[in-house]
Amino acid sequence: MTCLRAARSQGVLKSVEKELWGGLVPLPLMRQALVHKHDQVRMDALGLVCESHRSTETLSRQEIELIRHFLPFNLNSQSPGVRQQTVSLLKKLLCRVKDSAQLLQKKLDQHHNHKDQQVFNMYQEFLRWFCETLFQVFHPGASFSRCLMALHLLGLIAEHFTFNTGCGFALGESVSFSHAQAVLYCLASNFLEVKHLACNLLQKLPPAAVRLQEPERLHSLLQVALNLSTSTKPFDSVTAAHLLNLLLHQPGLQDALLRCIQKQHIPVQPPALIQSQTSEAASLEQNTLAVVQWLMVCLKEEVLKAESSLLQAAASYPLYGRAHCITAVLQQLNTGSLVLLSEWRAVVSELIGLCYRMSDVVSPVVQSSSPEGLIPMDTESETSAGLQKILQEIQPRDTNDFFTSARELDPSESDCNSEQKEPENAVHKPQSCNSGGGDGEAYRVTAQMVLVCCWRTMKEVSMLLGHLCQSMPLCCPLTHADGRGVVTVDQVEGVGQYFREQLLQSRHRGAFELAYVGFVRLTEMLCRSGSATLQQLPAHWLKEVLEEVKSSDPSSKLCATRRSAGIPFYIQALLSSEPKSSSCGLLKMTMRSLTALAMPSNDADTESSSVPQVHALNILRALYRDTRLGENIVPFVSDGMQAAILGFTSPVWAVRNSSTLLFSTLITRIFGVKKGKDEHSKKNRMTGREFFTRFPALYPFLLSQLQEAAASVNSDSGQVKLHPSLFLLLLVLGRLYPSPMDGSSSPLGLAPFMPLIIRCGRAAVYRTREMAARALVPFVLVTQVPSTIQTLLEELPQEPGPGLQQNHIHGTLLQVLSLLRSYLADTHRPQSGNEQDCDLSSALFPWLWLATRQNPCLVTRGAFLDLLGCLCGCLPVPVSESQLKKLREETLQILMASELVAPQGPNNMNLSVPGATQYLQSLAHIAVSVCVESPHLWDCPESAGFQRDLLERLLRCLHYEVRLFVLDQLLRRLQKTEEESQHRGQGPLPFDLSVSSLTSLAFHETYPGCQAKVLQVLAVLPLSSLLPWRDGMTSLSCLEVLEHLLTLLETSTHSVELYCAALSLTSQLVLHLAESTPQDVSEAAVVCLSRLGALVMQGCTEDQPAEVKLMSAEVLVKAVPTLLTAPALPLGITHTVALWKSLFTLLQDEDQDVRDGAADFTCYIPAHLHSTGVSTGAVSPPVALEMGVGLLCQLFQMWDQVAAGMVNLIQWLLGDEQSDTRCEESLDLDEEFLFEKGDLNLWAEPLLWARMLHRHLSALVSVTHSPDVSAAELDRLSAIAKSNALAAQHSTKALPALPQFSATIEYAKISLRKERTSLALNLLDTLRSS
């Protein structure tokens, strides 16, 4: 497909009249490629159809057929990349249709040609089908990806062909009212992108279809928008804003607004509405003004109430929704050409005042020391007075139920009454809703609601103020000399002061992060404004705040905790407003003063004197992270690094904490964002030479710090002295790696670091020794590695003695090991040369005692064994052949004499000693190398079965770590052999070990990790080698083994790995059982099969981990030929159908990999079941689902089980939920939750699934004419369907007006239920009549 696509777009592959591309690609193959499992194959196939050399090339009927085949199955793609490619390729196709149609139209205008007219009609038919297919997508519960694709593609149609009526293709005629309605309801989607695209599309659809000009409809939508703007669910206000934006373009909006106002009974004169039929822009401005004025009237009322009771506001009319709508409505306005200037000036000045009032109501919560809802500890009188009042309202308790259960507000209590109540003696009882009688109404409030109301209100105030300053024209003689300004300079300064106060005092992250967004808008406007006073404000504010940070006296309101809260954001915004072209004077000044503050001061460190230092470290961190400062910040990196490393020496915890954060940010800034899980991969590293060339100031600094730290490392004294910044130094140095050019030209040689790092290897802390070993590698040139290793080894003691420094020995061995490993992995190492120069063996032999029992310390024994293992492995090492052979003999002797192998067994060794496990694992490494990895290198003793005994001894070791390691190595070796797929040797195993030792280990292993590994090893082996299964001396039948494994599966749900391994092996045995005795499967076997079936079905549910679902999919796919499609029905109809249902559930899973895994079943369908023309091989999950249901209907006929099958499928169609009363309850309960939890699975579309079942069932009924479903069954199903229909009807009555917007989730559930019921009833009627 890739090659053909390239040929096609280059014009090499021409379209011939009769056959597509001269018959190069058979059509069935093209159809298969368009629904292939792999994204890239599908995209290339689509590219082949859509791309052409000339854009005016006409489309052939076959190409249109292929697109019709492609589109329905490919709308629901989870991958954004695939969606983007699909849209761009279909855009090319639509351009081609448009261009070639214009050419045809020209030809037709000159002289009428029947053939051209046919093509033109074909195009029209195709485009109408295209639009119809896309409009059908917007059903309740459609997945996000499908809606997004459909909206994008309809947007393309609107762009290229327009939905007009009459001329051209007249696509507008194919848009019905229900289509437009469905697009309108997309505004209620939870995804912003869908809302946005739907809003744009609605403005392009024919007005006659959208019918917004009808007064009733306009009024009801406006009413819904106004209601949603006071909803307590945060996302509703976004829906309200989109609805208002859509309605602003309607001329009749002001009349509808008047009707809404009259209904409200607010004793306020509605704003004077200007009615005049003028241009669209003027009508838009008038509409906007009217809506903003009305929203402000409502908002004033609500702010007034909130000032008396914030709690009531949070529960019934949180202020943020109205503010969000005002901002959104103003964004539609073209502020450059305003006409009603005096009105706008009044509105803006009133709005700014209103914003300050809103902020005053909620700021006590957002600025308190703990806004998240616990009892604040604030002491300042003014803020605490306001807080106390709110607290008395909430009456918090120091228990968790305060957060989860709601607090009742009784409307009968007057305000003064609640003021006097003491919070202590009020008992906190969550009661049912609406306890207050009379005309009052009771509310449910939780602490979470109050907090959300407060911080979101702060956010919306910030966005609104930022937008006003940014978009409204400024009253400034220089810029608007004609007096067309709306915002005054004083107002802008006031807003700046407001932002300053918010950013420097808010403690809630949501509040100050979004205040920052508003403030950035303001600072950008200040730089662009023509007023000199405004342009100087950022610099003035910056100096002020730096002074305040420097003094940080106790009376300061700056927040010293929470990483300095909003202060870094404030400074970031001021700095990023500096024009890019300037000399960055502000940045330089700020960085100089901050680095000075961040360095440790000489006076006595106390908590109070360290506050400025903490602020400085936190601000620096934010600036280094800010991408907009870009390369300008790089010159200051070395100063920041010095501050961070020195900050670690502070006695104050806060300073050390901030230094840690700054240090990690700098590591990312220098070495880049972490690209893999491996902390030490080459990706996030730099050569030492490049590092010190970029940051030369760090060279003397790191060197002096390292000297100081290395001097303190001395474990000889027996006392542990930890130098605070040693760890950081080694961390930075360990991130460097050697360059082949090191030391050649740079004056900053790396040599001085080497002895210091080697010295750090003596530290008493294990982790420091490891770090030192890693940090040494970059400082040794690759040519000098062997000689350095030799020097290091010579420092080791020659024989055991009393004064051994084990830390010193361990550090040295780790350094040798690190150097050796990096040397062996280095491609630049000198390959040949004089072997005598670098023969390490002579340096090794004298120290072999370190690996034997003469050395009392197990940690160093293990480290030396690792070194031996590294040298004796298969990689070429700097040791001559003869010496290497001798070294391997010595190592083998050490292994045979060790505790792991020696006859007295590991019991005589005190295994509670630190390092015992590591030591045994090091031994196991060597043993595995001897037995499994490279047995040909080792001269093993002649005695038969030496390797087998060794391996079996390892598998019997008491330490599970050893068993786990060995089993893991065996599994790897087997998988490698499987890939090479040629067994050298006689047995089933590529190493000397009997299968029976593995099969008995599977029964007796107790550690879950090892158990899982054994089962994985057995699952890889061919079944013939496992059976008959041996457990020690006894041999077990297949059923006994299955019994054991099934019990294991039913009890091992806690370990996913074990569960998956057991499931895989069990399914292999079950399939073997079903294949071997298909005619007379015994009772016991049937029980085993049904138990496995139950486990697989349980593994397919939504809440299982992905690994379990993947394994279940694999099991089901492998069971297709023997169990799911077998003519003999070995499982019986009920279990078989249940397994098919599990497969279909997996095909609709949210996880792409799970769906792909389940879709593989199409490759296993037996040949006699392939209906002609159906593509075989790997297809995408939606196609696999369609094929699967079709195949199942075919199987019902083959098994002669049509009646039973019908009943089962109709039950699926009705859905799992029996006629429950949940729907009614859910409406009451949902009031309480602020954040709705929608369905777990956002990909599956139950409505489409129901329609697919109905389609296949109808086909089955028509084929079999009279399936003899018993009357009793029909009655039972009808009863369920009717009760479901009644429940749905009942629930519909409880829904509010236009439930698509106000109760979206409930509405979708009820619609699904109605559709399912009606489809089922339709089928049941057909069955009855037949």
Side-chain angles (χ1 to χ4, degrees):
M1 286 299 150
T2 310
C3 299
L4 287 170
R5 179 182 177 182
R8 175 94 175 96
S9 58
Q10 295 302 317
V12 181
L13 188 62
K14 297 273 193 306
S15 208
V16 187
E17 289 299 306
K18 292 279 182 298
E19 268 191 301
L20 200 52
W21 314 308
L24 251 181
V25 193
L27 273 179
L29 187 68
M30 267 313 292
R31 292 169 70 87
Q32 191 180 335
L34 284 169
V35 293
H36 196 273
K37 180 173 142 185
H38 289 286
D39 295 338
Q40 200 47 55
V41 178
R42 291 203 306 275
M43 289 302 99
D44 283 336
L46 182 63
L48 180 54
V49 179
C50 296
E51 291 172 334
S52 60
H53 197 49
R54 297 196 332 273
S55 71
T56 51
E57 202 173 301
T58 50
L59 266 81
S60 66
R61 190 167 285 286
Q62 287 115 320
E63 284 175 303
I64 287 183
E65 281 308 312
L66 288 172
I67 293 293
R68 283 178 172 230
H69 178 61
F70 170 84
L71 195 64
F73 292 119
N74 286 280
L75 283 173
N76 195 3
S77 169
Q78 251 174 332
S79 148
V82 173
R83 289 201 294 267
Q84 198 179 354
Q85 282 185 61
T86 310
V87 171
S88 80
L89 287 171
L90 288 171
K91 182 178 179 178
K92 287 181 183 173
L93 183 88
L94 292 174
C95 289
R96 204 172 129 197
V97 171
K98 183 183 177 183
D99 293 355
S100 57
Q102 281 173 345
L103 202 66
L104 283 173
Q105 193 62 55
K106 270 185 196 165
K107 281 189 195 168
L108 283 170
D109 291 345
Q110 285 160 9
H111 54 275
H112 195 76
N113 176 339
H114 180 63
K115 196 173 163 207
D116 287 349
Q117 187 61 48
Q118 262 185 326
V119 175
F120 197 79
N121 293 347
M122 179 175 78
Y123 276 6
Q124 179 157 22
E125 190 193 341
F126 167 66
L127 286 173
R128 290 202 165 176
W129 168 86
F130 193 75
C131 295
E132 180 62 35
T133 308
L134 295 174
F135 279 122
Q136 290 302 326
V137 162
F138 309 113
H139 53 80
S143 74
F144 151 73
S145 41
R146 192 182 287 269
C147 291
L148 201 59
M149 279 282 274
L151 288 167
H152 271 302
L153 293 173
L154 285 168
L156 289 179
I157 291 271
E159 186 188 327
H160 290 288
F161 300 99
T162 68
F163 286 104
N164 55 7
T165 46
C167 59
F169 288 122
L171 293 178
E173 291 165 19
S174 64
V175 183
S176 67
F177 172 58
S178 61
H179 289 159
Q181 185 100 324
V183 178
L184 178 66
Y185 296 147
C186 284
L187 290 182
S189 161
N190 282 346
F191 294 89
L192 254 179
E193 206 179 346
V194 172
K195 283 184 187 318
H196 193 66
L197 288 169
C199 204
N200 289 346
L201 180 61
L202 282 165
Q203 292 170 18
K204 296 173 186 168
L205 292 181
V210 188
R211 295 196 201 163
L212 283 180
Q213 62 279 35
E214 297 173 11
E216 272 311 310
R217 189 163 158 74
L218 187 62
H219 171 243
S220 64
L221 281 172
L222 181 62
Q223 191 60 58
V224 165
L226 292 173
N227 294 349
L228 286 176
S229 70
T230 59
S231 159
T232 51
K233 290 180 182 149
F235 213 69
D236 285 349
S237 53
V238 187
T239 306
H242 278 86
L243 272 173
L244 288 173
N245 282 340
L246 185 65
L247 301 178
L248 282 176
H249 299 275
Q250 297 305 317
L253 179 67
Q254 299 189 24
D255 299 329
L257 196 59
L258 267 172
R259 280 179 64 186
C260 291
I261 293 173
Q262 281 150 10
K263 272 191 178 174
Q264 287 265 339
H265 309 304
I266 289 186
V268 175
Q269 190 51 41
L273 301 177
I274 311 135
Q275 295 286 4
S276 59
Q277 290 306 314
T278 44
S279 70
E280 191 175 336
S283 110
L284 178 67
E285 184 185 342
Q286 288 173 17
N287 281 348
T288 308
L289 185 64
V291 170
V292 171
Q293 284 177 324
W294 173 240
L295 285 170
M296 274 166 57
V297 168
C298 302
L299 193 53
K300 262 190 215 152
E301 281 287 306
E302 285 153 16
V303 172
L304 203 63
K305 290 183 197 161
E307 282 168 344
S308 66
S309 162
L310 179 60
L311 228 61
Q312 235 156 11
S316 51
Y317 38 83
L319 311 169
Y320 56 82
R322 302 276 200 206
H324 178 81
C325 290
I326 293 176
T327 315
V329 166
L330 288 175
Q331 279 167 346
Q332 297 292 302
L333 204 57
N334 175 13
T335 50
S337 55
L338 294 178
V339 183
L340 312 165
L341 284 171
S342 55
E343 286 89 342
W344 281 117
R345 281 184 199 127
V347 163
V348 167
S349 107
E350 199 175 346
L351 254 183
I352 292 177
L354 199 55
C355 282
Y356 293 160
R357 272 179 68 192
M358 282 158 71
S359 168
D360 289 343
V361 173
V362 297
S363 57
V365 172
V366 186
Q367 291 178 7
S368 75
S369 61
S370 44
E372 285 75 18
L374 291 166
I375 297 184
M377 323 273 204
D378 296 74
T379 47
E380 297 116 67
S381 51
E382 47 192 286
T383 51
S384 62
L387 263 175
Q388 245 10 77
K389 182 180 162 196
I390 295 168
L391 274 178
Q392 284 202 335
E393 268 197 300
I394 306 181
Q395 297 182 355
R397 292 273 163 277
D398 277 338
T399 56
N400 279 335
D401 70 325
F402 164 59
F403 289 97
T404 50
S405 45
R407 156 110 168 80
E408 297 299 334
L409 278 191
D410 192 346
S412 56
E413 276 178 20
S414 62
D415 275 356
C416 57
N417 183 3
S418 61
E419 287 283 311
Q420 294 156 1
K421 258 198 202 163
E422 280 303 307
E424 281 76 35
N425 52 24
V427 183
H428 174 82
K429 285 200 297 260
Q431 300 151 357
S432 63
C433 207
N434 298 339
S435 52
D439 56 345
E441 202 186 331
Y443 307 98
R444 304 184 135 205
V445 200
T446 61
Q448 187 193 31
M449 276 173 139
V450 176
L451 179 68
V452 167
C453 166
C454 293
W455 80 259
R456 283 189 175 266
T457 302
M458 288 305 254
K459 161 197 161 175
E460 293 304 344
V461 165
S462 303
M463 301 310 255
L464 181 51
L465 290 173
H467 181 73
L468 285 175
C469 293
Q470 190 182 31
S471 64
M472 289 291 178
L474 184 71
C475 295
C476 167
L478 290 173
T479 51
H480 292 90
D482 49 0
R484 294 190 57 78
V486 173
V487 187
T488 66
V489 173
D490 291 348
Q491 281 172 337
V492 172
E493 278 196 47
V495 172
Q497 282 302 329
Y498 164 81
F499 275 126
R500 177 202 154 101
E501 193 177 307
Q502 285 316 322
L503 280 163
L504 297 187
Q505 292 178 23
S506 286
R507 306 286 173 95
H508 187 281
R509 190 156 186 95
F512 59 70
E513 274 189 351
L514 289 146
Y516 162 74
V517 177
F519 188 48
V520 167
R521 289 181 183 172
L522 175 70
T523 52
E524 282 170 357
M525 170 255 164
L526 293 177
C527 294
R528 287 199 317 268
S529 72
S531 150
T533 44
L534 289 184
Q535 280 170 341
Q536 284 158 10
L537 278 177
H540 170 65
W541 285 338
L542 191 60
K543 289 189 182 105
E544 264 185 10
V545 75
L546 287 174
E547 272 310 307
E548 193 169 343
V549 166
K550 199 176 287 182
S551 62
S552 287
D553 53 32
S555 68
S556 156
K557 285 190 178 177
L558 297 183
C559 170
T561 54
R562 294 177 180 254
R563 300 179 190 172
S564 301
I567 311 169
F569 286 93
Y570 181 67
I571 291 179
Q572 246 174 301
L574 291 171
L575 285 178
S576 58
S577 69
E578 199 177 5
K580 293 279 174 282
S581 52
S582 69
S583 60
C584 298
L586 282 183
L587 179 66
K588 287 174 186 163
M589 181 266 298
T590 309
M591 293 305 285
R592 271 200 302 275
S593 56
L594 285 175
T595 31
L597 277 180
M599 295 292 181
S601 52
N602 298 328
D603 57 349
D605 272 307
T606 58
E607 289 285 347
S608 58
S609 72
S610 62
V611 172
Q613 192 181 352
V614 172
H615 281 317
L617 290 165
N618 288 333
I619 296 166
L620 283 173
R621 172 174 181 258
L623 295 179
Y624 288 124
R625 288 177 70 175
D626 192 353
T627 46
R628 285 173 310 168
L629 295 173
E631 287 300 302
N632 294 341
I633 200 93
V634 174
F636 306 103
V637 164
S638 39
D639 293 341
M641 186 60 100
Q642 295 183 33
I645 290 178
L646 292 172
F648 258 67
T649 55
S650 165
V652 182
W653 178 84
V655 175
R656 297 198 299 276
N657 182 42
S658 296
S659 303
T660 317
L661 296 168
L662 173 60
F663 180 77
S664 69
T665 298
L666 283 166
I667 288 284
T668 306
R669 195 82 180 82
I670 295 171
F671 298 107
V673 179
K674 195 168 151 189
K675 294 183 185 69
K677 285 187 178 171
D678 178 17
E679 195 66 46
H680 313 293
S681 69
K682 273 274 172 74
K683 285 180 182 159
N684 291 102
R685 291 164 75 190
M686 194 185 274
T687 64
R689 182 168 181 224
E690 182 191 358
F691 179 77
F692 287 123
T693 312
R694 288 181 64 179
F695 311 110
L698 286 180
Y699 185 86
F701 172 74
L702 290 176
L703 194 58
S704 64
Q705 285 289 311
L706 193 61
Q707 278 165 342
E708 189 185 314
S712 73
V713 170
N714 190 6
S715 53
D716 305 358
S717 60
Q719 291 176 333
V720 180
K721 290 200 192 79
L722 281 179
H723 190 278
S725 46
L726 175 59
F727 193 75
L728 299 192
L729 296 166
L730 293 175
L731 203 64
V732 176
L733 298 176
R735 283 287 177 115
L736 309 179
Y737 66 91
S739 138
M741 299 180 58
D742 271 344
S744 53
S745 57
S746 163
L748 304 171
L750 301 184
F753 284 93
M754 235 174 80
L756 299 173
I757 297 176
I758 291 177
R759 166 142 195 137
C760 291
R762 302 180 177 189
V765 181
Y766 189 99
R767 189 95 166 88
T768 307
R769 299 198 291 274
E770 279 190 332
M771 300 279 295
R774 205 170 288 127
L776 179 64
V777 176
F779 294 90
V780 182
L781 293 181
V782 73
T783 47
Q784 293 167 1
V785 169
S787 53
T788 313
I789 289 182
Q790 213 149 352
T791 321
L792 283 169
L793 286 172
E794 279 160 12
E795 289 183 19
L796 296 174
Q798 296 251 3
E799 73 263 346
L804 284 184
Q805 284 295 327
Q806 291 288 3
N807 285 341
H808 184 180
I809 296 174
H810 184 238
T812 307
L813 287 173
L814 284 180
Q815 289 180 345
V816 171
L817 202 55
S818 281
L819 283 173
L820 188 61
R821 280 180 181 154
S822 108
Y823 181 73
L824 295 181
D826 195 342
T827 45
H828 299 296
R829 68 166 186 266
Q831 292 300 340
S832 61
N834 191 350
E835 284 290 343
Q836 265 45 52
D837 295 353
C838 58
D839 190 353
L840 294 179
S841 54
S842 56
L844 268 179
F845 285 117
W847 285 279
L848 283 177
W849 69 270
L850 281 170
T852 65
R853 300 192 188 200
Q854 287 176 285
N855 174 7
C857 172
L858 295 184
V859 178
T860 47
R861 234 195 276 182
F864 200 87
L865 281 166
D866 287 339
L867 182 58
L868 288 177
C870 200
L871 283 167
C872 298
C874 14
L875 288 168
V877 285
V879 179
S880 62
E881 267 309 308
S882 56
Q883 294 285 353
L884 195 55
K885 196 171 174 208
K886 195 172 152 201
L887 192 62
R888 285 198 178 116
E889 284 169 15
E890 293 279 350
T891 307
L892 200 55
Q893 279 176 1
I894 292 173
L895 172 68
M896 296 318 291
S898 69
E899 286 88 342
L900 190 63
V901 184
Q904 54 268 57
N907 305 335
N908 66 350
M909 190 170 100
N910 182 2
L911 289 183
S912 56
V913 185
T917 309
Q918 278 166 301
Y919 165 61
L920 288 173
Q921 276 177 307
S922 303
L923 281 169
H925 266 276
I926 293 180
V928 165
S929 171
V930 173
C931 302
V932 181
E933 283 172 3
S934 42
H936 55 285
L937 294 176
W938 302 80
D939 289 337
C940 295
E942 292 303 309
S943 61
F946 164 76
Q947 293 174 338
R948 173 180 298 193
D949 288 347
L950 186 52
L951 264 182
E952 293 194 350
R953 191 158 279 169
L954 289 175
L955 288 177
R956 285 201 303 273
C957 176
L958 294 178
H959 282 241
Y960 74 83
E961 292 92 344
V962 174
R963 301 196 300 273
L964 191 60
F965 168 71
V966 174
L967 286 164
D968 195 41
Q969 293 303 317
L970 294 183
L971 183 62
R972 281 189 188 176
R973 182 79 180 90
L974 279 170
Q975 284 164 339
K976 196 169 144 196
T977 316
E978 204 178 22
E979 282 162 23
E980 296 163 2
S981 74
Q982 46 199 15
H983 289 312
R984 305 183 190 80
Q986 303 72 41
L989 296 170
F991 35 79
D992 191 2
L993 180 67
S994 65
V995 177
S996 61
S997 52
L998 287 172
T999 52
S1000 39
L1001 184 64
F1003 272 39
H1004 301 292
E1005 177 59 71
T1006 50
Y1007 179 70
C1010 297
Q1011 222 173 353
K1013 273 281 180 285
V1014 178
L1015 294 175
Q1016 281 172 357
V1017 170
L1018 291 172
V1020 175
L1021 293 175
L1023 260 184
S1024 54
S1025 63
L1026 299 184
L1027 298 173
W1029 189 286
R1030 299 196 65 79
D1031 177 13
M1033 299 320 288
T1034 54
S1035 91
L1036 303 172
S1037 72
C1038 194
L1039 279 173
E1040 289 171 305
V1041 180
L1042 268 176
E1043 179 57 43
H1044 175 84
L1045 286 172
L1046 284 165
T1047 314
L1048 179 68
L1049 272 171
E1050 283 155 4
T1051 52
S1052 70
T1053 43
H1054 50 83
S1055 160
V1056 170
E1057 192 190 15
L1058 177 56
Y1059 186 84
C1060 291
L1063 192 60
S1064 173
L1065 186 58
T1066 314
S1067 69
Q1068 285 184 30
L1069 287 166
V1070 165
L1071 293 182
H1072 170 75
L1073 200 67
E1075 280 164 11
S1076 55
T1077 54
Q1079 271 61 46
D1080 47 350
V1081 182
S1082 63
E1083 284 296 308
V1086 170
V1087 174
C1088 282
L1089 289 173
S1090 56
R1091 275 171 73 187
L1092 178 70
L1095 285 165
V1096 172
M1097 284 185 278
Q1098 174 196 323
C1100 299
T1101 48
E1102 203 58 61
D1103 47 358
Q1104 293 289 347
E1107 297 86 351
V1108 174
K1109 288 194 279 198
L1110 277 167
M1111 185 50 77
S1112 304
E1114 198 179 307
V1115 169
L1116 282 168
V1117 164
K1118 297 216 171 111
V1120 165
T1122 43
L1123 294 182
L1124 297 186
T1125 59
L1129 263 181
L1131 284 177
I1133 184 77
T1134 319
H1135 284 300
T1136 310
V1137 173
L1139 284 179
W1140 273 106
K1141 172 128 197 237
S1142 303
L1143 185 61
F1144 296 150
T1145 309
L1146 291 176
L1147 282 169
Q1148 301 176 72
D1149 193 77
E1150 190 165 30
D1151 191 319
Q1152 174 88 47
D1153 296 334
V1154 174
R1155 294 200 301 273
D1156 284 347
D1160 286 340
F1161 86 90
T1162 52
C1163 308
Y1164 288 82
I1165 299 171
H1168 65 274
L1169 286 171
H1170 278 305
S1171 48
T1172 48
V1174 173
S1175 58
T1176 57
V1179 293
S1180 61
V1183 185
L1185 188 62
E1186 182 83 44
M1187 281 171 67
V1189 180
L1191 179 66
L1192 186 57
C1193 290
Q1194 197 183 331
L1195 285 169
F1196 286 148
Q1197 296 170 48
M1198 182 182 91
W1199 292 328
D1200 199 16
Q1201 290 278 4
V1202 175
M1206 280 271 187
V1207 172
N1208 268 304
L1209 293 196
I1210 291 176
Q1211 276 178 324
W1212 293 2
L1213 176 59
L1214 281 168
D1216 302 325
E1217 68 246 36
Q1218 292 311 311
S1219 57
D1220 52 0
T1221 47
R1222 275 183 326 172
C1223 267
E1224 298 104 71
E1225 289 168 23
S1226 64
L1227 287 177
D1228 295 342
L1229 288 176
D1230 271 356
E1231 298 301 315
E1232 196 176 331
F1233 299 114
L1234 200 55
F1235 300 104
E1236 281 183 348
K1237 287 199 171 46
D1239 291 331
L1240 280 174
N1241 187 337
L1242 294 176
W1243 195 82
E1245 296 169 302
L1247 197 64
L1248 291 186
W1249 168 235
R1251 286 176 186 167
M1252 183 194 297
L1253 283 172
H1254 179 257
R1255 200 168 57 243
H1256 284 284
L1257 276 169
S1258 308
L1260 186 60
V1261 174
S1262 62
V1263 171
T1264 49
H1265 303 303
S1266 56
D1268 45 351
V1269 182
S1270 69
E1273 278 296 334
L1274 286 176
D1275 292 341
R1276 184 179 71 82
L1277 292 169
S1278 299
I1280 296 177
K1282 281 174 180 154
S1283 78
N1284 275 0
L1286 273 173
Q1289 223 171 343
H1290 185 76
S1291 313
T1292 313
K1293 285 179 189 154
L1295 289 175
L1298 279 175
Q1300 292 88 339
F1301 295 108
S1302 39
T1304 316
I1305 292 181
E1306 288 78 21
Y1307 175 73
K1309 282 180 187 163
I1310 293 169
S1311 310
L1312 169 64
R1313 207 166 190 193
K1314 280 184 175 167
E1315 175 112 6
R1316 277 182 153 167
T1317 319
S1318 70
L1319 290 173
L1321 285 169
N1322 164 290
L1323 269 173
L1324 290 166
D1325 292 346
T1326 317
L1327 284 173
R1328 279 232 169 78
S1329 59
S1330 72

